[in-house]
Amino acid sequence: MHLAPRVLRRAISAATIALLATAVGCAPQPEEKASDQASGSTATTCAKGKLATQTSGKLTIATDEPAYEPWFEDDKPANGKGFESAVAYAVAKQLGYDKSAVAWQSVPFNKAFAPGVKTFDFDINQVSISAERKKAVDFSSGYYDVRQAVIALKGSKAAKATTIAGLKGLKLGAQVGTTSLNYISDVVKPTQQEAAFSKNDQAVSALKNGQVDAIVVDLPTAFYITSAEVTNAKIVGQFENQGGTPEQFGLVLDKGSDLTSCVSSAVDALRKDGTLAALEKQWLSDAVDAPVLK
């Protein structure tokens, strides 16, 4: 269908105005104004109890199932017991959400930091901050400095190891997708293929059954396993942190989440006022020094 000349001129004129408006809208703003808008936006976004959460007025926190001690107690993340449950509620309070406004969600460990839109506001599940994971998700500031440890059955060859070299000829295992597994492949570099398990309890069962000589977990988990789950096992030793920055657990958020800076500020405040140290002392007091493997 052909347009009449007058209609055509009006259409062209309207299109031209729209294009000009778009160009002006996309033009760079003066630095002061852009900065003013950014700070104002942050102040609004982080208003206590009024964050842009998955559900208005609620804070949705995720973790894996089962939820292991000493990070949680009785496999009940919502009870506030265990280091990570206590940290989660402390962060929630800092953000303006009381316990009744927190909703818990079960999300498998690997899925928490896999690419894709998240159904939670943040996930807390002993997830180490790494450059590789940051490609897919955001992290808060670190809430716990961690070391990895080796567990073996008492009296075994693995239990006698005092150096990293003493572990090289052994069959070692750890949960898939964890820093623990990375330490086996990158630090120990064993002559046998490492065993990867989807859950920590599967790694523990493999150790009990003699399918692996030793397993690697974070140090607090190692103390729990040897004191409560496999009492005929011992902590062989712990690894030194690799590089200048200590390994840290961070809260996992959706990539580009509007909440990241708010959650990081909350964690920073809890570290500064001593809350994180107090919770660590309360729930992870057994995680004392273990021999260092070099």
Side-chain angles (χ1 to χ4, degrees):
M1 182 177 70
H2 296 285
L3 292 173
R6 183 178 297 174
V7 176
L8 185 58
R9 280 198 300 272
R10 286 178 182 169
I12 291 171
S13 177
T16 303
I17 292 169
L19 284 170
L20 286 171
T22 304
V24 171
C26 293
Q29 299 179 41
E31 284 186 16
E32 312 127 11
K33 303 222 166 168
S35 174
D36 289 345
Q37 286 181 358
S39 64
S41 170
T42 301
T44 304
T45 303
C46 293
K48 289 187 178 293
K50 297 180 180 179
L51 305 185
T53 53
Q54 294 282 337
T55 302
S56 181
K58 294 279 186 182
L59 190 67
T60 303
I61 304 176
T63 195
D64 201 356
E65 186 179 5
Y68 297 103
E69 297 190 28
W71 311 105
F72 301 91
E73 277 197 3
D74 304 321
D75 192 19
K76 295 177 180 177
N79 64 14
K81 298 178 180 179
F83 179 69
E84 289 194 327
S85 181
V87 167
Y89 282 118
V91 171
K93 184 179 179 181
Q94 195 74 26
L95 294 173
Y97 297 88
D98 61 25
K99 198 169 182 178
S100 64
V102 173
W104 284 89
Q105 188 179 98
S106 175
V107 173
F109 179 79
N110 280 337
K111 190 175 179 182
F113 51 86
V117 177
K118 306 306 175 193
T119 56
F120 51 77
D121 294 312
F122 69 76
D123 178 279
I124 183 166
N125 190 24
Q126 307 113 66
V127 181
S128 295
I129 301 168
S130 72
E132 185 63 29
R133 289 173 179 169
K134 281 184 176 180
K135 295 175 183 177
V137 294
D138 280 359
F139 280 97
S140 70
S141 303
Y143 62 86
Y144 179 69
D145 298 351
V146 66
R147 284 194 175 189
Q148 300 297 320
V150 180
I151 302 174
L153 297 180
K154 294 174 182 176
S156 66
K157 181 182 176 182
K160 297 179 176 67
T162 56
T163 63
I164 292 174
L167 300 171
K168 285 188 181 294
L170 304 176
K171 181 71 174 179
L172 305 176
Q175 184 176 344
V176 69
T178 61
T179 308
S180 305
L181 191 61
N182 292 342
Y183 265 74
I184 295 174
S185 57
D186 300 341
V187 178
V188 180
K189 299 176 181 176
T191 55
Q192 297 188 56
Q193 178 67 39
E194 63 268 17
F197 303 93
S198 60
K199 300 274 187 182
N200 253 345
D201 55 358
Q202 293 175 352
V204 170
S205 295
L207 178 65
K208 286 180 180 178
N209 299 332
Q211 295 168 281
V212 293
D213 298 310
I215 60 174
V216 178
V217 295
D218 58 77
L219 188 57
T221 299
F223 275 97
Y224 174 73
I225 290 173
T226 53
S227 65
E229 292 188 327
V230 193
T231 54
N232 65 328
K234 62 171 281 188
I235 297 174
V236 178
Q238 61 177 308
F239 295 107
E240 290 182 306
N241 281 317
Q242 302 300 301
T245 306
E247 178 188 349
Q248 292 185 315
F249 290 157
L251 305 176
V252 181
L253 299 96
D254 203 357
K255 186 69 176 173
S257 171
D258 292 336
L259 305 183
T260 302
S261 61
C262 305
V263 173
S264 283
S265 294
V267 173
D268 292 341
L270 294 173
R271 185 178 289 278
K272 186 176 180 180
D273 69 12
T275 299
L276 290 181
L279 292 177
E280 185 175 330
K281 185 176 181 180
Q282 179 182 357
W283 297 106
L284 305 178
S285 59
D286 287 339
V288 294
D289 288 341
V292 177
L293 299 166
K294 295 184 179 179

